[in-house]
Amino acid sequence: PVLLLLWWGGACAFALWRYRTPEGTYVLFTTRTTVFLEYEGELFLSWNIPVVCTIANESSPTTTLKCQISGSHRLEPILDTEELEYSDRFIPFAKDLNCFLWYVVTNSTWNSSVPPSNNDTQVLTLWIYDPENAIPSELDHSATSPSANSRILSKHFWNLGQEPVVETHLRNTRYFADEFTDLGLWKIKVPANSDDIITIIHGKAIAFQDCFVQDTPYILSRPEQPFFNNANDISLSSPAGSDIYIVWSACFPTTALVLTDFGTFHTNDGFRTSKEIKAPSHILASNLAQNVTAVALADDGILFLINGNIYKRESNDFFKLGTDYDLSEGDIIGVQSRVWCPSEYPMKSGRKLSTTAIWTSTDVHLGYGDNVFIRITDTSKLQNILGFPEDVSLSLGTVSYDSCPAEIALLVACIGCSSSRMFYVVTYNEDRYMWVLRNFFLSAPSKGFMKMEFMYSALPSMLLWNKTSMYYSYRNNTAYGFPPVHETNVTPAEYTNGSSIHQIVIDYSGNIVIKMQNNIMFFFKFDLIDVILLPRWENESKNTVLYLNPSGNLYIVVINSSGIHRQNYPLKMEVHGTSYSLFDECPYLAFHHNIDLNVYYLDKGDEVTFWAQILFQENLGLFVDVRIHRPELLEQATHVQYEIAHEICTKNQTIKFYQNVDYSESLDYMKTVHETTGVMTVEVQPSMTGKACSTVRKLSYLFVGCPPSRHIVIQTPPGITCIKHNFTSYKLPGNFLWHSSPKDTVTDYDWDKYGCLMEVYYRDPFRPEIALYDGNTFVKMVEANYILWEIKGRTDFGYNSSMGDVGCSREAQNWFSLLENHKNQEIELDDIWGPQNYNSCFEFSHENLQDLSQQYHILNRSGSNSLIWNMEQSGIYVFKVKILDPNFSFCDLKTFFAVHTYGIVESPDIAKTIMFSIFVLSLFLGILVLSYFKYARIFQTLRYVDPLPFPSLQNHTKESSQGLKKDQ
């Protein structure tokens, strides 16, 4: 939208004018760009421009400008008055190497009534457009399809091999185009429900008509979080005359909330649109609804601080969070959500980080998901933990999340610690459960507190401010003070004739903008000690608030009776122009490093190496400054290479981080592991910076501990087949179990847990091959020592090497001795033997050698020790493997595998054979005896029959004979 021109009137000290680009985002500002100049007022005469620029109408307050030569060019309006001071600007015009931009349209595939799952996707439709020749809908970002020019331009680039890539900011995840349509469109699928929504779209370095495509920032759309209002709901507002208050989500900056004295407004799209948030009138009285003093965004709703109580607005509900939720009632003075996104921070303890902090003057609660709140301390406990004298009085005033996501800082006022009231900063680490009194103290006013916000830095650095003053503390309070306005000794409040500080915005690059109540803005930068005045952009009568733009600039949100309006503010260009006029140049020419990831996981034996390069004029003596939080966790080795050519110095520095701890020598393994694991934060920066420097600050977390998806896998050795059968149970021989039994037992076989059966010939020794994986990524083969045991209790296997065979200097640990030591304890086999109590038998000892003929129960990949099997019968063995080496991994690496031996021709059981033979023989003899007596009876009957009877008797005899045969 066209920016309105503002006139200050006779009471103003500066003329007010602005500039904009056709597409409004200032991403492209080159010698090819048409610049719109805008001034409003009756005193305007003409524009004063350099000779290298051309203007459409120099006497018109609204006109267009082009500058054909790159550089910082001075522009100003000439006025017909001496009461207003001329307001000139040095505007930087870049060379026209980049002429085109990426245009993105999101086609969401989810149903608005059903939240998307992690597997759902949204489709991005991309094309290339030229802002100088684009249609209006492309310039105001409302187009849904490319113009004819954009379609032709995109096809030309596609023919040249162009292909866009969407790369996320937090995890550097890349998404590639999977199709290019005939309409000149690229299609890219990205997650629909992601916490990594800030992206940059870049393509290949391909030119068309000597012009490239500029990398373009883009924010992925998210499912809208609906808040439904009813007809009788009432507005939630701050007390009349209160300052406008704005908050936005740390991980989803397009989700924001504005609190005014006439309502609360919520947005999911960065204030392109917004909706008022209301409360049910039967829950909240109107006098309370108009007394909102603070708001905070939670993951599943909005928190309101009203009259010392916390209320929560969810999609379809509004309720009070009181004693039923373990929160205080009536005395809460503050609520705060996170400022920096913590989604990539690796927690050592594995627990989730809190999302909000709620506090009274005496205690602090942390809020988690599902409306869970935990009280972490009160002032009396702090007094004891931190060693404050008993006769002092402590009170809490401000709570803020540190740039280290696991730490929460408390601004504490102490009466009695000194001759005057003092401020101290106390921090609590959620991961380590530890309280620390930081090296910070500041003389405090007799009453009241200061606001506090931390900068994005490896070492704790913060700003404190109230209405009239601002105080900085850098790098663990090694540099601190009240920053004055450049080349003066006055504060911003004094410089603006008593206007108070309304808002301070800090971005990821260390840029700080101080907005006063009268809309005058100052610029401050991390590591610098003074502020500079920025040219006027808004009239003091406007109700405005600053809103962070992830692309590196800012939004100015204007709030009036017609609604909420967002406009882009070219912070980078304004700072560059002001610095140029003050001859304040960036001290270095270029700075590069290879820290790409937010988190690097370091297990035992791992190392990571970073490099950084800085170029500068040879008389400045700059260097790469490596800043580390918790440096005790890792050793460092640094190498610097220095070159000079044509008065330009180049310093290349490599920094290697590694661990140098021998855990096998530790007297308390678990204590040593606890002390040497955790999260180290690393930041590399130039040793000197300037207001015009645009280097993005990059923090990286080195997690020393077990990588989250690290595990071991048993690989099938060559020549061995692994078969998955269809049975679910099998028999165990009772006489070969730990607890021997005369009867065999039947046990279950879990195919999903134990895997397939490796078929091993009974005479072949066997040693499993163990591979280390991170998720599905192969890391290496395991060379370390490991142990195993048969989880079903079988004992009919052994080892083919004795302690003496492997070269032990003393008796080695084995299952028999360790089980004997724990025979009266209820303990799992997993915990009996492991890295925590491993003792090597190869270390020299003054003890007797004892019996080295015992089997050696430890295996490794390079040794000769292997499993041997029962020679009498085949069987199924289910083993559990555990890595034993204390210097191999922080992870408790265990897994299962199963073996089936084959090839044994089993000898019959003699006793059973004899018994079965006797049974068969007895049965045969019994049948024989019965047959003898039966036939004897038949023949005895036939013995008394006349051999020549009468015919009638012959028939009778025949019938009798047939009857006997039938009986037989």
Side-chain angles (χ1 to χ4, degrees):
V2 178
L3 302 178
L4 296 177
L5 302 177
L6 304 175
W7 177 49
W8 285 50
C12 299
F14 293 91
L16 180 61
W17 62 280
R18 302 180 192 158
Y19 55 93
R20 64 178 178 86
T21 60
E23 45 81 36
T25 64
Y26 306 93
V27 175
L28 278 182
F29 209 98
T30 70
T31 55
R32 189 175 177 271
T33 303
T34 300
V35 181
F36 294 84
L37 301 179
E38 301 172 337
Y39 179 88
E40 186 174 318
E42 298 177 355
L43 302 176
F44 180 84
L45 290 178
S46 64
W47 293 98
N48 182 19
I49 65 170
V51 295
V52 298
C53 301
T54 58
I55 192 168
N57 185 354
E58 67 175 11
S59 60
S60 173
T62 59
T63 187
T64 59
L65 172 84
K66 276 196 174 184
C67 294
Q68 290 77 27
I69 298 178
S70 62
S72 295
H73 301 315
R74 182 174 178 267
L75 307 176
E76 65 175 347
I78 299 175
L79 308 177
D80 186 19
T81 182
E82 295 182 357
E83 295 181 0
L84 292 181
E85 183 175 334
Y86 284 44
S87 179
D88 61 345
R89 280 185 171 97
F90 287 86
I91 300 180
F93 288 81
K95 293 182 180 180
D96 59 348
L97 297 177
N98 297 316
C99 310
F100 313 120
L101 292 172
W102 293 101
Y103 192 98
V104 188
V105 175
T106 300
N107 298 319
S108 302
T109 59
W110 63 80
N111 186 331
S112 60
S113 63
V114 180
S117 68
N118 293 331
N119 296 323
D120 289 338
T121 61
Q122 55 181 318
V123 179
L124 303 184
T125 301
L126 296 89
W127 66 83
I128 298 171
Y129 76 106
D130 180 0
E132 298 297 315
N133 297 287
I135 59 177
S137 60
E138 287 180 322
L139 294 177
D140 64 17
H141 304 282
S142 62
T144 57
S145 61
S147 64
N149 284 340
S150 299
R151 185 181 299 113
I152 294 172
L153 184 63
S154 298
K155 287 186 176 181
H156 277 305
F157 269 100
W158 181 78
N159 290 331
L160 293 172
Q162 184 60 273
E163 184 178 359
V165 177
V166 177
E167 183 172 358
T168 63
H169 170 71
L170 287 178
R171 300 185 182 90
N172 301 107
T173 306
R174 293 187 173 190
Y175 301 98
F176 298 91
D178 50 14
E179 66 173 305
F180 181 81
T181 67
D182 294 336
L183 297 177
L185 305 173
W186 285 273
K187 300 282 188 178
I188 300 180
K189 292 181 180 179
V190 298
N193 192 13
S194 172
D195 59 356
D196 196 1
I197 65 171
I198 301 174
T199 70
I200 188 79
I201 301 172
H202 56 83
K204 298 177 181 178
I206 295 174
F208 175 70
Q209 294 181 348
D210 298 327
C211 277
F212 295 88
V213 183
Q214 171 73 38
D215 292 350
T216 308
Y218 182 74
I219 300 179
L220 301 178
S221 62
R222 297 183 66 241
E224 181 179 353
Q225 184 178 11
F227 293 98
F228 302 102
N229 295 324
N230 297 316
N232 296 325
D233 289 352
I234 55 177
S235 297
L236 292 161
S237 62
S238 57
S242 299
D243 294 339
I244 300 173
Y245 186 79
I246 186 171
V247 292
W248 54 83
S249 170
C251 296
F252 312 111
T254 51
T255 300
L257 196 72
V258 166
L259 173 65
T260 70
D261 58 3
F262 59 86
T264 301
F265 302 91
H266 178 266
T267 181
N268 279 302
D269 56 8
F271 287 109
R272 289 184 181 274
T273 60
S274 61
K275 181 179 180 179
E276 186 176 3
I277 303 297
K278 296 185 177 183
S281 56
H282 66 279
I283 295 179
L284 199 65
S286 59
N287 62 323
L288 293 179
Q290 298 172 6
N291 195 31
V292 181
T293 53
V295 292
L297 287 168
D299 291 341
D300 56 351
I302 304 170
L303 301 180
F304 294 88
L305 176 57
I306 303 174
N307 269 23
N309 296 299
I310 295 293
Y311 291 83
K312 187 172 184 181
R313 179 71 158 89
E314 295 181 350
S315 294
N316 292 297
D317 202 3
F318 185 88
F319 55 95
K320 182 179 179 180
L321 295 172
T323 54
D324 292 341
Y325 296 89
D326 298 324
L327 284 178
S328 303
E329 293 188 21
D331 57 352
I332 295 175
I333 60 174
V335 57
Q336 175 72 47
S337 54
R338 290 185 173 273
V339 176
W340 308 112
C341 184
S343 64
E344 284 296 285
Y345 186 78
M347 288 283 281
K348 174 185 173 183
S349 62
R351 61 180 288 185
K352 290 186 177 181
L353 291 168
S354 63
T355 58
T356 53
I358 298 172
W359 66 96
T360 69
S361 60
T362 58
D363 56 22
V364 180
H365 293 76
L366 297 182
Y368 301 86
D370 299 324
N371 298 323
V372 174
F373 297 91
I374 299 175
R375 183 170 174 266
I376 58 171
T377 192
D378 55 40
T379 50
S380 60
K381 288 182 180 179
L382 283 180
Q383 201 163 336
N384 295 329
I385 294 172
L386 302 175
F388 282 97
E390 295 182 358
D391 57 346
V392 304
S393 174
L394 300 181
S395 60
L396 304 176
T398 308
V399 176
S400 178
Y401 283 97
D402 200 337
S403 58
C404 174
E407 296 188 354
I408 299 99
L410 284 59
L411 185 64
V412 179
C414 178
I415 298 176
C417 293
S418 182
S419 58
S420 62
R421 187 168 177 256
M422 299 293 295
F423 283 149
Y424 294 92
V425 173
V426 178
T427 60
Y428 173 70
N429 190 296
E430 290 188 75
D431 200 14
R432 304 168 68 193
Y433 310 101
M434 185 171 67
W435 288 96
V436 174
L437 177 64
R438 282 195 173 159
N439 180 29
F440 174 88
F441 58 89
L442 178 66
S443 181
S446 58
K447 61 180 180 178
F449 281 86
M450 302 179 79
K451 296 180 181 179
M452 177 172 61
E453 188 167 315
F454 283 81
M455 304 175 201
Y456 192 63
S457 172
L459 298 178
S461 303
M462 61 185 179
L463 288 180
L464 293 94
W465 72 94
N466 53 23
K467 292 286 187 180
T468 59
S469 62
M470 181 178 71
Y471 186 86
Y472 66 85
S473 172
Y474 297 150
R475 302 180 298 279
N476 275 328
N477 208 38
T478 55
Y480 49 85
F482 293 91
V485 178
H486 183 70
E487 295 184 343
T488 72
N489 292 319
V490 300
T491 66
E494 295 169 336
Y495 192 87
T496 55
N497 297 322
S499 180
S500 59
I501 298 174
H502 172 213
Q503 183 187 12
I504 293 180
V505 176
I506 308 172
D507 70 9
Y508 278 92
S509 299
N511 299 317
I512 304 165
V513 179
I514 306 157
K515 178 188 172 297
M516 311 301 289
Q517 289 285 2
N518 59 5
N519 289 331
I520 291 177
M521 293 189 292
F522 295 89
F523 178 78
F524 189 40
K525 196 174 184 70
F526 182 28
D527 282 334
L528 299 183
I529 59 174
D530 63 355
V531 303
I532 58 174
L533 177 68
L534 295 173
R536 271 281 195 171
W537 198 268
E538 284 291 349
N539 191 292
E540 65 179 336
S541 62
K542 288 290 189 71
N543 290 322
T544 65
V545 68
L546 300 180
Y547 176 39
L548 183 66
N549 182 342
S551 67
N553 288 316
L554 286 176
Y555 293 122
I556 294 180
V557 179
V558 181
I559 304 169
N560 53 36
S561 57
S562 64
I564 298 178
H565 311 281
R566 185 192 79 181
Q567 56 184 241
N568 285 282
Y569 175 69
L571 176 63
K572 293 180 180 179
M573 297 182 62
E574 292 290 86
V575 171
H576 182 278
T578 305
S579 300
Y580 185 85
S581 66
L582 299 174
F583 304 100
D584 185 350
E585 297 182 354
C586 186
Y588 54 89
L589 303 176
F591 180 74
H592 305 283
H593 58 76
N594 71 332
I595 302 180
D596 297 325
L597 303 179
N598 293 294
V599 183
Y600 292 85
Y601 293 96
L602 277 76
D603 205 346
K604 295 174 183 176
D606 292 343
E607 62 182 40
V608 63
T609 301
F610 301 131
W611 67 263
Q613 182 187 74
I614 186 169
L615 279 74
F616 55 93
Q617 298 288 341
E618 66 174 337
N619 60 338
L620 293 180
L622 302 185
F623 58 90
V624 176
D625 187 10
V626 182
R627 300 171 183 176
I628 303 174
H629 178 57
R630 297 200 68 194
E632 73 278 3
L633 290 177
L634 294 171
E635 301 286 337
Q636 304 162 41
T638 303
H639 176 72
V640 179
Q641 186 180 7
Y642 184 76
E643 296 180 1
I644 301 179
H646 305 291
E647 299 183 348
I648 302 296
C649 297
T650 303
K651 280 187 179 179
N652 293 293
Q653 181 169 325
T654 59
I655 313 103
K656 181 172 73 173
F657 295 94
Y658 63 97
Q659 198 176 48
N660 188 23
V661 180
D662 188 353
Y663 292 91
S664 65
E665 297 181 354
S666 173
L667 299 178
D668 189 336
Y669 175 83
M670 299 306 297
K671 180 181 179 181
T672 305
V673 167
H674 178 75
E675 292 173 348
T676 56
T677 54
V679 182
M680 172 190 285
T681 308
V682 177
E683 177 185 10
V684 291
Q685 287 293 319
S687 59
M688 185 186 300
T689 189
K691 298 178 180 67
C693 298
S694 58
T695 301
V696 177
R697 310 185 76 86
K698 179 69 174 181
L699 302 188
S700 187
Y701 303 113
L702 305 188
F703 179 84
V704 185
C706 176
S709 58
R710 180 152 291 187
H711 63 284
I712 55 175
V713 174
I714 301 298
Q715 293 189 341
T716 305
I720 292 180
T721 58
C722 200
I723 302 174
K724 187 171 183 179
H725 301 274
N726 57 5
F727 61 83
T728 57
S729 62
Y730 65 99
K731 187 173 63 175
L732 293 173
N735 57 326
F736 291 127
L737 298 177
W738 276 102
H739 303 287
S740 182
S741 169
K743 295 182 178 180
D744 296 342
T745 60
V746 176
T747 185
D748 294 333
Y749 190 91
D750 189 336
W751 291 100
D752 294 331
K753 186 175 182 179
Y754 307 141
C756 58
L757 283 171
M758 287 186 278
E759 300 290 330
V760 178
Y761 185 61
Y762 79 104
R763 289 186 178 274
D764 292 342
F766 176 80
R767 183 170 62 246
E769 294 282 333
I770 305 177
L772 186 67
Y773 278 80
D774 282 337
N776 295 323
T777 304
F778 172 78
V779 178
K780 61 182 178 180
M781 297 301 296
V782 175
E783 304 284 347
N785 289 345
Y786 60 89
I787 54 174
L788 50 79
W789 63 96
E790 214 285 333
I791 64 171
K792 304 295 184 178
R794 293 191 70 148
T795 60
D796 55 333
F797 67 95
Y799 302 84
N800 64 354
S801 298
S802 68
M803 300 176 187
D805 294 336
V806 299
C808 285
S809 300
R810 58 180 176 182
E811 184 175 319
Q813 291 175 310
N814 58 68
W815 282 111
F816 303 117
S817 60
L818 289 165
L819 287 170
E820 180 65 23
N821 294 337
H822 296 85
K823 64 181 180 180
N824 295 323
Q825 303 176 17
E826 293 185 2
I827 187 170
E828 297 290 334
L829 279 175
D830 295 53
D831 302 323
I832 288 179
W833 197 3
Q836 73 279 2
N837 62 351
Y838 170 67
N839 290 317
S840 174
C841 70
F842 301 104
E843 297 176 357
F844 178 76
S845 174
H846 294 286
E847 300 176 1
N848 295 329
L849 293 180
Q850 300 177 327
D851 184 7
L852 300 186
S853 63
Q854 301 177 70
Q855 289 186 349
Y856 188 60
H857 288 182
I858 300 172
L859 300 95
N860 58 52
R861 188 165 184 253
S862 59
S864 60
N865 196 25
S866 302
L867 295 175
I868 54 177
W869 312 105
N870 186 341
M871 294 290 187
E872 298 180 1
Q873 62 181 18
S874 300
I876 294 175
Y877 302 82
V878 180
F879 291 102
K880 192 171 187 179
V881 175
K882 180 176 183 178
I883 302 300
L884 185 64
D885 191 341
N887 288 318
F888 182 73
S889 177
F890 291 110
C891 305
D892 186 15
L893 297 174
K894 295 178 286 191
T895 191
F896 297 93
F897 73 95
V899 170
H900 174 234
T901 59
Y902 71 92
I904 298 177
V905 179
E906 298 184 2
S907 300
D909 189 323
I910 297 176
K912 291 182 178 179
T913 302
I914 294 174
M915 293 295 293
F916 181 74
S917 299
I918 293 173
F919 171 76
V920 172
L921 186 59
S922 300
L923 183 62
F924 176 73
L925 291 176
I927 293 173
L928 220 63
V929 170
L930 288 175
S931 299
Y932 169 76
F933 286 110
K934 193 69 174 175
Y935 279 102
R937 179 185 170 191
I938 293 172
F939 287 112
Q940 285 177 358
T941 304
L942 295 176
R943 179 179 178 184
Y944 298 100
V945 178
D946 189 351
L948 297 173
F950 294 104
S952 59
L953 291 177
Q954 288 181 357
N955 292 335
H956 176 74
T957 302
K958 190 179 296 185
E959 291 175 358
S960 300
S961 178
Q962 290 176 353
L964 289 173
K965 289 181 180 180
K966 185 177 180 181
D967 291 341
Q968 182 183 1

